[in-house]
């Protein structure tokens, strides 16, 4: 789950699918990460093309760490019985930047509104359990610059303390590209000043997301 300081979000671990069968109807739930609404729509279109004879292709997706974009579709099922329960399951699990598509092959037995709600929401929940999720924590990109005489020791100290070093650039000085958790920036800058006797500087950049 996202923590109270909104330092990250949960998303699906990768593309995957899971099938459940209820009263002879097949429910195939496809999950995929989606960084944008356009990517989510591409996944939906692809799944539709892969299952042209399916009875329904219902979907839900959430884009944005703050869930600013939420869309869903019943695709012909009775109103509110497919897309909304799928969307609620994604939100209940705190899943972001992800799309779920449930393909239904009707088995001949009507499930009723309550049965459909349980089936579609449950299909997404079961798929999330099967495919898995990962936490993307919010970081600030930063550049730590220091002279060549201190660079070797500083790099070792950075890695020893667990700072994510994304790259090193050698020029007139040595610049380390790092990622800092939002809530650790003040502590890091204090540590850096003490570790280098004030010889290094830290320039903050924009936000990035990654695994802890």
């Amino acid at each position: 789950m996202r923590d109270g300081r909104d330092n990250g979000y949960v998303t699906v671990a990768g593309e995957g699918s899971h099938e459940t069968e209820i009263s002879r109807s097949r429910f195939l739930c496809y999950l995929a990460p989606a960084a944008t609404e356009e990517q989510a729509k591409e996944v939906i279109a692809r799944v539709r093309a892969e299952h042209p004879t399916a009875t329904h292709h219902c979907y839900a997706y959430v884009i944005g760490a703050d869930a600013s974009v939420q869309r869903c579709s019943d695709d012909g099922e009775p109103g509110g019985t497919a897309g909304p329960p799928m969307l609620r399951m994604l939100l209940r699990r705190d899943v972001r930047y992800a799309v779920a598509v449930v393909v239904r092959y009707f088995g001949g037995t009507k499930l009723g509104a309550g049965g459909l709600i349980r089936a579609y929401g449950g299909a997404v929940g079961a798929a999330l359990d099967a495919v898995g999720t990962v936490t993307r924590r919010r970081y600030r990109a930063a550049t730590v610059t220091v002279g060549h005489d201190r660079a070797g020791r500083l790099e070792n100290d950075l890695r020893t303390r667990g700072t994510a070093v994304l790259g090193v650039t050698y020029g007139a000085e040595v610049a380390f590209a790092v990622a800092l958790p939002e809530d650790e920036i003040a502590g890091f800058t204090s540590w850096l000043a003490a570790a280098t006797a004030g010889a290094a500087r830290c320039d903050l950049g924009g936000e990035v997301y990654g695994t802890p």
Side-chain angles (χ1 to χ4, degrees):
M1 297 177 61
R2 293 183 303 159
D3 64 34
R5 292 167 298 191
D6 195 28
N7 278 336
Y9 64 89
V10 173
T11 191
V12 294
E15 288 200 29
S17 63
H18 180 77
E19 179 176 343
T20 57
E21 184 174 327
I22 301 173
S23 299
R24 295 197 298 273
S25 279
R26 295 170 58 208
F27 294 85
L28 290 82
C29 180
Y30 289 81
L31 295 174
T36 64
E37 193 166 8
E38 290 69 27
Q39 288 183 9
K41 291 177 179 178
E42 289 172 2
V43 172
I44 296 165
R46 173 159 51 85
V47 173
R48 281 183 179 276
E50 292 173 356
H51 296 273
T53 63
T55 316
H56 303 281
H57 306 82
C58 306
Y59 66 80
Y61 57 84
V62 181
I63 309 298
D66 58 352
S68 56
V69 177
Q70 303 177 24
R71 303 282 187 269
C72 64
S73 170
D74 293 313
D75 192 41
E77 293 282 27
T81 62
M86 292 170 62
L87 180 60
R88 285 195 293 271
M89 182 59 70
L90 292 176
L91 294 173
R92 187 179 305 155
R93 296 287 191 94
D94 282 327
V95 175
R96 307 289 186 261
Y97 290 109
V99 56
V101 185
V102 175
V103 175
R104 183 189 183 189
Y105 286 92
F106 182 56
T109 301
K110 293 185 177 181
L111 301 180
L116 288 172
I117 290 170
R118 289 189 294 273
Y120 278 99
V124 174
L128 287 170
D129 291 338
V131 175
T133 59
V134 293
T135 299
R136 302 290 185 188
R137 192 175 182 186
R138 186 171 64 177
Y139 294 87
R140 283 287 293 279
T143 302
V144 175
T145 307
V146 73
H148 286 267
D149 57 326
R150 294 178 178 269
R153 179 174 179 179
L154 178 57
E155 180 173 7
N156 181 69
D157 289 346
L158 287 169
R159 297 186 187 280
T160 297
R161 77 184 300 274
T163 300
V165 178
L166 308 179
V168 184
T169 302
Y170 296 91
E173 295 180 293
V174 180
F176 299 95
V178 301
L180 305 172
E182 284 281 344
D183 55 347
E184 296 179 15
I185 291 174
F188 175 82
T189 54
S190 295
W191 170 85
L192 183 66
T196 64
R201 66 179 184 275
C202 180
D203 299 307
L204 296 176
E207 292 183 351
V208 295
Y209 285 88
T211 54

